[in-house]
């Protein structure tokens, strides 16, 4: 069964450094998402991406965050200057279409900011 | 703002019994609902989705939707220890957009 893949599985970074989290969505999917989950808390939406542009973003997704689809397969989340509070699991998801279609999640990247 | 509410649990169910997980939602206009299973430290895994009022069955899982009462449930028959996880109820916020997750119900199946 097709799946969403994420790399790396664990990223440890010094505060203030830039990180790039990578995702390969399911190949025929058109909608891409990033979520995060701080330990013990809810899964929170960060951003959705369709047709090479952001379709929606949350209040969390401020100027330090950016997303890109650099080629036909990868979807990346960049955090420009990391803060301690960015430590979380980051999940990439994709769906075949938007709206009511379920989203399929990757295994996540655990980001630890020191 | 749409909200999805779940009892955080833990819900403890003996092995072989039926586990019943419940979820309420605030927006009467919500059209579809997803149940995800999340093991500790892992990602959400889609196990059921339901769009219409009534029941939808898939193996040991049955999702139930009651739009009049704004209530969604998940039944797990013949519960197994491997079903022990947190179950997340979720609904799309708008087209091409985010999923709103509940805080999840922690289910524990005791042998």
């Amino acid at each position: 069964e097709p799946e969403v893949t994420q790399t790396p599985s664990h990223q440890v970074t010094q505060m203030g450094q830039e990180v790039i989290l990578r995702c390969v969505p399911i190949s025929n999917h058109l909608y891409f998402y990033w979520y995060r989950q701080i330990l013990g808390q809810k899964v929170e939406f960060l951003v959705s991406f369709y047709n090479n542009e952001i379709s929606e973003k949350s209040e969390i997704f401020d100027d330090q965050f950016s997303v890109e689809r650099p080629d036909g397969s990868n979807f990346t989340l960049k955090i420009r200057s990391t803060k301690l509070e960015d430590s979380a699991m980051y999940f990439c998801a994709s769906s075949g279409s938007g709206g009511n279609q379920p989203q399929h999640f990757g295994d996540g990247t655990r980001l630890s900011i020191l | 703002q749409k909200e999805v509410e779940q009892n955080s649990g833990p819900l403890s169910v003996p092995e072989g019994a039926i586990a019943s997980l419940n979820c309420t939602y605030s927006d009467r206009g919500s059209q579809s609902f997803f149940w995800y299973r999340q093991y500790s430290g892992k990602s959400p895994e889609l196990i059921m989705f339901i769009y219409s009022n009534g029941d939808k069955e898939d193996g040991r899982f049955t999702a139930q939707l009651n739009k009049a009462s704004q209530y969604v449930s998940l039944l797990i028959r013949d519960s197994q220890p491997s079903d022990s996880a947190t179950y997340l109820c979720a609904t799309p916020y708008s087209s091409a957009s985010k999923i709103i997750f509940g805080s999840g119900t922690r289910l524990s199946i005791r042998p």
Side-chain angles (χ1 to χ4, degrees):
Chain A
E1 185 175 321
E3 58 181 27
V4 176
T5 57
Q6 290 186 244
T7 54
S9 56
H10 191 191
Q11 174 80 46
V12 181
T13 302
Q14 292 289 331
M15 186 173 60
Q17 296 297 304
E18 174 182 287
V19 294
I20 297 176
L21 310 183
R22 291 183 166 81
C23 170
V24 178
I26 294 173
S27 63
N28 62 346
H29 282 185
L30 301 176
Y31 293 80
F32 315 117
Y33 310 85
W34 284 101
Y35 293 81
R36 80 172 185 189
Q37 188 175 32
I38 295 170
L39 186 64
Q41 297 187 21
K42 278 188 186 184
V43 177
E44 301 175 287
F45 169 78
L46 291 177
V47 65
S48 58
F49 192 87
Y50 170 70
N51 201 25
N52 283 318
E53 60 182 25
I54 291 173
S55 46
E56 186 169 351
K57 58 184 180 179
S58 71
E59 293 176 353
I60 303 167
F61 195 89
D62 61 20
D63 290 345
Q64 69 166 338
F65 290 91
S66 62
V67 289
E68 193 177 34
R69 188 157 163 81
D71 53 43
S73 59
N74 290 285
F75 179 51
T76 62
L77 174 68
K78 181 191 291 186
I79 309 175
R80 258 179 280 279
S81 177
T82 51
K83 305 173 193 159
L84 293 176
E85 55 265 36
D86 294 328
S87 295
M89 282 289 287
Y90 287 80
F91 297 113
C92 175
S94 69
S95 68
S97 61
N100 292 327
Q101 293 302 308
Q103 296 172 19
H104 298 266
F105 283 70
D107 287 341
T109 293
R110 180 175 301 281
L111 179 61
S112 300
I113 307 301
L114 304 179
Chain B
Q1 174 77 357
K2 282 190 181 185
E3 290 191 0
V4 175
E5 299 289 336
Q6 295 181 257
N7 188 320
S8 62
L11 175 65
S12 181
V13 172
E15 184 175 354
I18 295 175
S20 177
L21 304 157
N22 304 314
C23 169
T24 58
Y25 58 95
S26 62
D27 186 347
R28 189 168 289 279
S30 294
Q31 297 293 315
S32 57
F33 299 89
F34 312 132
W35 282 101
Y36 287 85
R37 178 175 62 198
Q38 188 176 30
Y39 293 112
S40 181
K42 302 297 185 182
S43 65
E45 175 192 5
L46 180 71
I47 53 172
M48 288 286 287
F49 56 93
I50 186 165
Y51 302 132
S52 305
N53 262 338
D55 296 0
K56 178 183 177 183
E57 187 174 319
D58 184 2
R60 295 188 297 113
F61 299 98
T62 299
Q64 299 175 318
L65 174 58
N66 183 328
K67 290 187 178 181
S69 301
Q70 295 177 233
Y71 179 93
V72 191
S73 63
L74 179 70
L75 303 178
I76 306 174
R77 286 181 299 284
D78 188 23
S79 297
Q80 303 296 310
S82 59
D83 295 326
S84 297
T86 297
Y87 289 80
L88 308 175
C89 176
T91 185
Y93 187 83
S94 64
S95 62
S97 188
K98 58 188 175 186
I99 288 178
I100 301 295
F101 283 90
S103 56
T105 297
R106 190 154 55 91
L107 174 66
S108 175
I109 306 301
R110 57 182 190 272

